């Protein structure tokens, strides 16, 4: 396998997350955050099941691993997405995207603190450059967002987005050993199924099942896109995590807010600004620095080197 393939897979997910973030803003007001997350991953699970059936890759876990994988799935899907949707309903998209861009930085710290991955100056510099690039790309939106007085509801929304990023960082680090043991599709399917069950409880509390067909046709198309891309994308994401270290893989999520901004130019007719281009350049530079092999590292172990 080519050593750059996990990075390419992760980059495609960074773009997909950015597109899903824009799409979520279009429909989050029509459903509660838990209901929208449930629909997202119910559709995603339905997309994975035919692939698993065709490949005969049904989950076959050791009894001791069933509950941890389910809990990690609930954290990765249910809590992360519900918290992110909760935040997106309360803070502007640009500010939420910048806060969520701390995901790779938090992953690096969690991986180092737990002993799963060594903390190197090259990875640290690359992650910080990418985070700075996101800030530059979104600088004009952030200045606009910060102009009004910050409300308590806004602070709560920002904390929810930060909690979502931290939840994703923890799950990305601790899911990797299970992926290495059982494979991406079985782990992804069981984790997603557990999360849908948990999210159904949140949707019930939000009153979703009293009127499950509340969305208009356009909203259903958007929800279908989010679910389909999430189902396929998570399988790709787990495969990338299996073959790369958590910090290097999650750093590609820095592409998501920049992608969201670029989609604003294409879909919404927003201006292509110099800060956006400079920010994209900084993100790409950060990725280049962090993905470069360490001195003495060969191409074959470029994307490995963490503990499982």
């Amino acid at each position: 396998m080519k050593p750059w393939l996990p990075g390419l897979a992760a980059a495609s997910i960074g773009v997909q997350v950015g597109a899903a973030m824009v799409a979520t803003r279009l429909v989050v007001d029509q459903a509660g955050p838990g209901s929208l997350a449930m629909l997202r991953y119910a559709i995603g699970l339905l997309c994975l099941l035919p692939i698993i059936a065709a490949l005969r890759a049904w989950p076959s876990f050791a009894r001791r691993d069933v509950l941890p994988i389910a809990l990690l799935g609930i954290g990765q899907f249910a809590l992360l997405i519900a918290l992110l949707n909760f935040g997106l309903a309360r803070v502007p998209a640009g500010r939420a995207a910048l806060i969520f861009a701390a995901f790779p930085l938090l992953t690096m710290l969690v991986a180092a603190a737990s002993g799963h991955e060594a903390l190197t100056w090259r990875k640290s510099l690359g992650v910080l450059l990418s985070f700075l690039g996101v800030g530059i790309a979104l600088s004009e939106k952030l200045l606009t967002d910060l102009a009004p007085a910050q409300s308590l509801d806004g602070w709560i929304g920002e904390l929810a987005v930060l909690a979502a990023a931290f939840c994703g960082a923890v799950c990305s680090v601790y899911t990797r050993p299970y992926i290495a043991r059982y494979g991406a599709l079985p782990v992804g399917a069981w984790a997603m199924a557990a999360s849908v069950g948990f999210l159904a409880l949140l949707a019930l509390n939000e009153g979703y099942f009293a009127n499950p067909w509340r969305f208009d046709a356009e909203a259903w198309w958007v929800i279908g896109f989010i679910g389909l891309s999430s189902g396929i994308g998570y399988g790709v994401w787990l495969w990338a995590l299996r073959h790369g270290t958590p910090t290097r893989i999650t750093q590609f999520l820095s592409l998501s807010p920049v992608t969201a901004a670029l989609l604003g130019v294409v879909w919404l007719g927003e201006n292509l600004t110099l800060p956006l281009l400079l920010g994209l350049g900084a993100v790409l530079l950060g990725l280049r620095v962090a993905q470069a092999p360490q001195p003495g590292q060969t191409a074959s172990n470029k994307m490995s080197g963490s503990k499982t």
Side-chain angles (χ1 to χ4, degrees), residues 6-32:
L8 180 62
S12 71
I13 302 308
V15 174
Q16 180 268 327
V17 169
M21 190 175 291
V22 174
T24 296
R25 287 289 295 176
L26 299 176
V27 295
V28 71
D29 292 335
Q30 297 189 43

PDB file of all heavy atoms in Angstrom, residues 6-32:
ATOM      1  N   PRO A   6      -3.481   6.717   3.177  1.00  0.00           N
ATOM      2  CA  PRO A   6      -4.285   7.122   4.345  1.00  0.00           C
ATOM      3  C   PRO A   6      -4.492   8.625   4.429  1.00  0.00           C
ATOM      4  O   PRO A   6      -5.581   9.091   4.787  1.00  0.00           O
ATOM      5  CB  PRO A   6      -3.463   6.599   5.536  1.00  0.00           C
ATOM      6  CG  PRO A   6      -2.677   5.463   4.967  1.00  0.00           C
ATOM      7  CD  PRO A   6      -2.330   5.889   3.575  1.00  0.00           C
ATOM      8  N   GLY A   7      -3.456   9.398   4.079  1.00  0.00           N
ATOM      9  CA  GLY A   7      -3.601  10.852   4.086  1.00  0.00           C
ATOM     10  C   GLY A   7      -4.598  11.330   3.046  1.00  0.00           C
ATOM     11  O   GLY A   7      -5.401  12.240   3.305  1.00  0.00           O
ATOM     12  N   LEU A   8      -4.574  10.722   1.872  1.00  0.00           N
ATOM     13  CA  LEU A   8      -5.527  11.086   0.829  1.00  0.00           C
ATOM     14  C   LEU A   8      -6.948  10.755   1.259  1.00  0.00           C
ATOM     15  O   LEU A   8      -7.879  11.550   1.053  1.00  0.00           O
ATOM     16  CB  LEU A   8      -5.183  10.344  -0.467  1.00  0.00           C
ATOM     17  CG  LEU A   8      -6.094  10.625  -1.670  1.00  0.00           C
ATOM     18  CD1 LEU A   8      -6.017  12.094  -2.071  1.00  0.00           C
ATOM     19  CD2 LEU A   8      -5.713   9.730  -2.851  1.00  0.00           C
ATOM     20  N   ALA A   9      -7.124   9.592   1.894  1.00  0.00           N
ATOM     21  CA  ALA A   9      -8.451   9.221   2.396  1.00  0.00           C
ATOM     22  C   ALA A   9      -8.924  10.219   3.449  1.00  0.00           C
ATOM     23  O   ALA A   9     -10.080  10.654   3.435  1.00  0.00           O
ATOM     24  CB  ALA A   9      -8.408   7.810   2.979  1.00  0.00           C
ATOM     25  N   ALA A  10      -8.027  10.590   4.372  1.00  0.00           N
ATOM     26  CA  ALA A  10      -8.389  11.547   5.416  1.00  0.00           C
ATOM     27  C   ALA A  10      -8.709  12.915   4.829  1.00  0.00           C
ATOM     28  O   ALA A  10      -9.606  13.612   5.309  1.00  0.00           O
ATOM     29  CB  ALA A  10      -7.259  11.653   6.441  1.00  0.00           C
ATOM     30  N   ALA A  11      -7.978  13.317   3.785  1.00  0.00           N
ATOM     31  CA  ALA A  11      -8.250  14.605   3.147  1.00  0.00           C
ATOM     32  C   ALA A  11      -9.645  14.625   2.534  1.00  0.00           C
ATOM     33  O   ALA A  11     -10.361  15.631   2.609  1.00  0.00           O
ATOM     34  CB  ALA A  11      -7.194  14.884   2.075  1.00  0.00           C
ATOM     35  N   SER A  12     -10.054  13.500   1.935  1.00  0.00           N
ATOM     36  CA  SER A  12     -11.405  13.449   1.352  1.00  0.00           C
ATOM     37  C   SER A  12     -12.466  13.603   2.435  1.00  0.00           C
ATOM     38  O   SER A  12     -13.511  14.212   2.207  1.00  0.00           O
ATOM     39  CB  SER A  12     -11.602  12.133   0.593  1.00  0.00           C
ATOM     40  OG  SER A  12     -11.689  11.030   1.480  1.00  0.00           O
ATOM     41  N   ILE A  13     -12.183  13.095   3.644  1.00  0.00           N
ATOM     42  CA  ILE A  13     -13.133  13.231   4.745  1.00  0.00           C
ATOM     43  C   ILE A  13     -13.148  14.666   5.257  1.00  0.00           C
ATOM     44  O   ILE A  13     -14.201  15.190   5.646  1.00  0.00           O
ATOM     45  CB  ILE A  13     -12.787  12.257   5.881  1.00  0.00           C
ATOM     46  CG1 ILE A  13     -12.798  10.834   5.343  1.00  0.00           C
ATOM     47  CG2 ILE A  13     -13.777  12.391   7.032  1.00  0.00           C
ATOM     48  CD1 ILE A  13     -14.061  10.457   4.602  1.00  0.00           C
ATOM     49  N   GLY A  14     -11.982  15.315   5.260  1.00  0.00           N
ATOM     50  CA  GLY A  14     -11.958  16.725   5.642  1.00  0.00           C
ATOM     51  C   GLY A  14     -12.864  17.563   4.749  1.00  0.00           C
ATOM     52  O   GLY A  14     -13.598  18.438   5.230  1.00  0.00           O
ATOM     53  N   VAL A  15     -12.836  17.290   3.449  1.00  0.00           N
ATOM     54  CA  VAL A  15     -13.711  17.995   2.511  1.00  0.00           C
ATOM     55  C   VAL A  15     -15.174  17.626   2.753  1.00  0.00           C
ATOM     56  O   VAL A  15     -16.064  18.485   2.752  1.00  0.00           O
ATOM     57  CB  VAL A  15     -13.296  17.667   1.063  1.00  0.00           C
ATOM     58  CG1 VAL A  15     -14.284  18.267   0.065  1.00  0.00           C
ATOM     59  CG2 VAL A  15     -11.888  18.186   0.783  1.00  0.00           C
ATOM     60  N   GLN A  16     -15.440  16.326   2.992  1.00  0.00           N
ATOM     61  CA  GLN A  16     -16.815  15.875   3.225  1.00  0.00           C
ATOM     62  C   GLN A  16     -17.414  16.504   4.476  1.00  0.00           C
ATOM     63  O   GLN A  16     -18.582  16.908   4.484  1.00  0.00           O
ATOM     64  CB  GLN A  16     -16.833  14.349   3.336  1.00  0.00           C
ATOM     65  CG  GLN A  16     -18.216  13.750   3.580  1.00  0.00           C
ATOM     66  CD  GLN A  16     -18.528  13.561   5.059  1.00  0.00           C
ATOM     67  OE1 GLN A  16     -17.638  13.278   5.855  1.00  0.00           O
ATOM     68  NE2 GLN A  16     -19.787  13.742   5.420  1.00  0.00           N
ATOM     69  N   VAL A  17     -16.616  16.602   5.543  1.00  0.00           N
ATOM     70  CA  VAL A  17     -17.115  17.201   6.787  1.00  0.00           C
ATOM     71  C   VAL A  17     -17.462  18.670   6.568  1.00  0.00           C
ATOM     72  O   VAL A  17     -18.468  19.174   7.087  1.00  0.00           O
ATOM     73  CB  VAL A  17     -16.073  17.041   7.914  1.00  0.00           C
ATOM     74  CG1 VAL A  17     -16.455  17.874   9.131  1.00  0.00           C
ATOM     75  CG2 VAL A  17     -15.955  15.576   8.312  1.00  0.00           C
ATOM     76  N   GLY A  18     -16.647  19.374   5.792  1.00  0.00           N
ATOM     77  CA  GLY A  18     -16.938  20.775   5.489  1.00  0.00           C
ATOM     78  C   GLY A  18     -18.245  20.927   4.738  1.00  0.00           C
ATOM     79  O   GLY A  18     -19.055  21.809   5.048  1.00  0.00           O
ATOM     80  N   ALA A  19     -18.474  20.047   3.760  1.00  0.00           N
ATOM     81  CA  ALA A  19     -19.721  20.104   3.006  1.00  0.00           C
ATOM     82  C   ALA A  19     -20.921  19.766   3.899  1.00  0.00           C
ATOM     83  O   ALA A  19     -21.982  20.399   3.817  1.00  0.00           O
ATOM     84  CB  ALA A  19     -19.660  19.139   1.822  1.00  0.00           C
ATOM     85  N   ALA A  20     -20.747  18.759   4.776  1.00  0.00           N
ATOM     86  CA  ALA A  20     -21.842  18.382   5.678  1.00  0.00           C
ATOM     87  C   ALA A  20     -22.140  19.499   6.676  1.00  0.00           C
ATOM     88  O   ALA A  20     -23.292  19.691   7.077  1.00  0.00           O
ATOM     89  CB  ALA A  20     -21.483  17.092   6.416  1.00  0.00           C
ATOM     90  N   MET A  21     -21.118  20.244   7.077  1.00  0.00           N
ATOM     91  CA  MET A  21     -21.324  21.345   8.015  1.00  0.00           C
ATOM     92  C   MET A  21     -22.195  22.435   7.384  1.00  0.00           C
ATOM     93  O   MET A  21     -23.102  22.981   8.017  1.00  0.00           O
ATOM     94  CB  MET A  21     -19.981  21.926   8.454  1.00  0.00           C
ATOM     95  CG  MET A  21     -20.054  22.911   9.605  1.00  0.00           C
ATOM     96  SD  MET A  21     -18.424  23.446  10.179  1.00  0.00           S
ATOM     97  CE  MET A  21     -17.820  21.925  10.910  1.00  0.00           C
ATOM     98  N   VAL A  22     -21.925  22.738   6.101  1.00  0.00           N
ATOM     99  CA  VAL A  22     -22.736  23.720   5.393  1.00  0.00           C
ATOM    100  C   VAL A  22     -24.172  23.200   5.251  1.00  0.00           C
ATOM    101  O   VAL A  22     -25.146  23.928   5.479  1.00  0.00           O
ATOM    102  CB  VAL A  22     -22.133  24.028   4.009  1.00  0.00           C
ATOM    103  CG1 VAL A  22     -23.057  24.933   3.203  1.00  0.00           C
ATOM    104  CG2 VAL A  22     -20.774  24.705   4.165  1.00  0.00           C
ATOM    105  N   ALA A  23     -24.306  21.918   4.888  1.00  0.00           N
ATOM    106  CA  ALA A  23     -25.643  21.345   4.708  1.00  0.00           C
ATOM    107  C   ALA A  23     -26.421  21.316   6.021  1.00  0.00           C
ATOM    108  O   ALA A  23     -27.634  21.554   6.037  1.00  0.00           O
ATOM    109  CB  ALA A  23     -25.513  19.926   4.134  1.00  0.00           C
ATOM    110  N   THR A  24     -25.728  21.045   7.122  1.00  0.00           N
ATOM    111  CA  THR A  24     -26.407  20.987   8.417  1.00  0.00           C
ATOM    112  C   THR A  24     -27.032  22.321   8.783  1.00  0.00           C
ATOM    113  O   THR A  24     -28.133  22.377   9.341  1.00  0.00           O
ATOM    114  CB  THR A  24     -25.409  20.555   9.511  1.00  0.00           C
ATOM    115  OG1 THR A  24     -24.960  19.226   9.226  1.00  0.00           O
ATOM    116  CG2 THR A  24     -26.062  20.571  10.896  1.00  0.00           C
ATOM    117  N   ARG A  25     -26.354  23.400   8.452  1.00  0.00           N
ATOM    118  CA  ARG A  25     -26.891  24.719   8.757  1.00  0.00           C
ATOM    119  C   ARG A  25     -28.222  24.965   8.048  1.00  0.00           C
ATOM    120  O   ARG A  25     -29.043  25.753   8.504  1.00  0.00           O
ATOM    121  CB  ARG A  25     -25.889  25.809   8.347  1.00  0.00           C
ATOM    122  CG  ARG A  25     -24.672  25.929   9.248  1.00  0.00           C
ATOM    123  CD  ARG A  25     -25.026  26.515  10.598  1.00  0.00           C
ATOM    124  NE  ARG A  25     -25.493  27.889  10.496  1.00  0.00           N
ATOM    125  CZ  ARG A  25     -25.945  28.611  11.506  1.00  0.00           C
ATOM    126  NH1 ARG A  25     -26.021  28.073  12.701  1.00  0.00           N
ATOM    127  NH2 ARG A  25     -26.343  29.856  11.338  1.00  0.00           N
ATOM    128  N   LEU A  26     -28.439  24.266   6.919  1.00  0.00           N
ATOM    129  CA  LEU A  26     -29.654  24.482   6.141  1.00  0.00           C
ATOM    130  C   LEU A  26     -30.874  23.821   6.775  1.00  0.00           C
ATOM    131  O   LEU A  26     -32.003  24.229   6.517  1.00  0.00           O
ATOM    132  CB  LEU A  26     -29.467  23.940   4.715  1.00  0.00           C
ATOM    133  CG  LEU A  26     -28.355  24.588   3.878  1.00  0.00           C
ATOM    134  CD1 LEU A  26     -28.223  23.880   2.542  1.00  0.00           C
ATOM    135  CD2 LEU A  26     -28.636  26.079   3.666  1.00  0.00           C
ATOM    136  N   VAL A  27     -30.656  22.788   7.600  1.00  0.00           N
ATOM    137  CA  VAL A  27     -31.796  22.014   8.102  1.00  0.00           C
ATOM    138  C   VAL A  27     -31.864  21.920   9.616  1.00  0.00           C
ATOM    139  O   VAL A  27     -32.846  21.393  10.149  1.00  0.00           O
ATOM    140  CB  VAL A  27     -31.783  20.574   7.517  1.00  0.00           C
ATOM    141  CG1 VAL A  27     -31.980  20.605   6.020  1.00  0.00           C
ATOM    142  CG2 VAL A  27     -30.493  19.850   7.887  1.00  0.00           C
ATOM    143  N   VAL A  28     -30.843  22.413  10.326  1.00  0.00           N
ATOM    144  CA  VAL A  28     -30.811  22.212  11.779  1.00  0.00           C
ATOM    145  C   VAL A  28     -31.974  22.905  12.478  1.00  0.00           C
ATOM    146  O   VAL A  28     -32.422  22.466  13.540  1.00  0.00           O
ATOM    147  CB  VAL A  28     -29.462  22.697  12.362  1.00  0.00           C
ATOM    148  CG1 VAL A  28     -29.345  24.216  12.323  1.00  0.00           C
ATOM    149  CG2 VAL A  28     -29.267  22.179  13.792  1.00  0.00           C
ATOM    150  N   ASP A  29     -32.523  23.972  11.864  1.00  0.00           N
ATOM    151  CA  ASP A  29     -33.645  24.671  12.486  1.00  0.00           C
ATOM    152  C   ASP A  29     -34.962  23.890  12.362  1.00  0.00           C
ATOM    153  O   ASP A  29     -35.924  24.191  13.067  1.00  0.00           O
ATOM    154  CB  ASP A  29     -33.817  26.061  11.860  1.00  0.00           C
ATOM    155  CG  ASP A  29     -32.664  26.987  12.211  1.00  0.00           C
ATOM    156  OD1 ASP A  29     -32.030  26.749  13.260  1.00  0.00           O
ATOM    157  OD2 ASP A  29     -32.410  27.936  11.451  1.00  0.00           O
ATOM    158  N   GLN A  30     -35.020  22.905  11.460  1.00  0.00           N
ATOM    159  CA  GLN A  30     -36.246  22.138  11.270  1.00  0.00           C
ATOM    160  C   GLN A  30     -36.330  20.903  12.174  1.00  0.00           C
ATOM    161  O   GLN A  30     -37.347  20.223  12.189  1.00  0.00           O
ATOM    162  CB  GLN A  30     -36.369  21.699   9.800  1.00  0.00           C
ATOM    163  CG  GLN A  30     -36.487  22.858   8.823  1.00  0.00           C
ATOM    164  CD  GLN A  30     -36.818  22.383   7.419  1.00  0.00           C
ATOM    165  OE1 GLN A  30     -37.654  21.508   7.233  1.00  0.00           O
ATOM    166  NE2 GLN A  30     -36.171  22.964   6.426  1.00  0.00           N
ATOM    167  N   ALA A  31     -35.242  20.613  12.884  1.00  0.00           N
ATOM    168  CA  ALA A  31     -35.241  19.454  13.788  1.00  0.00           C
ATOM    169  C   ALA A  31     -34.268  19.722  14.915  1.00  0.00           C
ATOM    170  O   ALA A  31     -33.346  20.529  14.779  1.00  0.00           O
ATOM    171  CB  ALA A  31     -34.832  18.186  13.038  1.00  0.00           C
ATOM    172  N   GLY A  32     -34.456  19.063  16.031  1.00  0.00           N
ATOM    173  CA  GLY A  32     -33.520  19.187  17.130  1.00  0.00           C
ATOM    174  C   GLY A  32     -32.185  18.548  16.777  1.00  0.00           C
ATOM    175  O   GLY A  32     -32.099  17.725  15.853  1.00  0.00           O
TER     176      GLY A  32
END
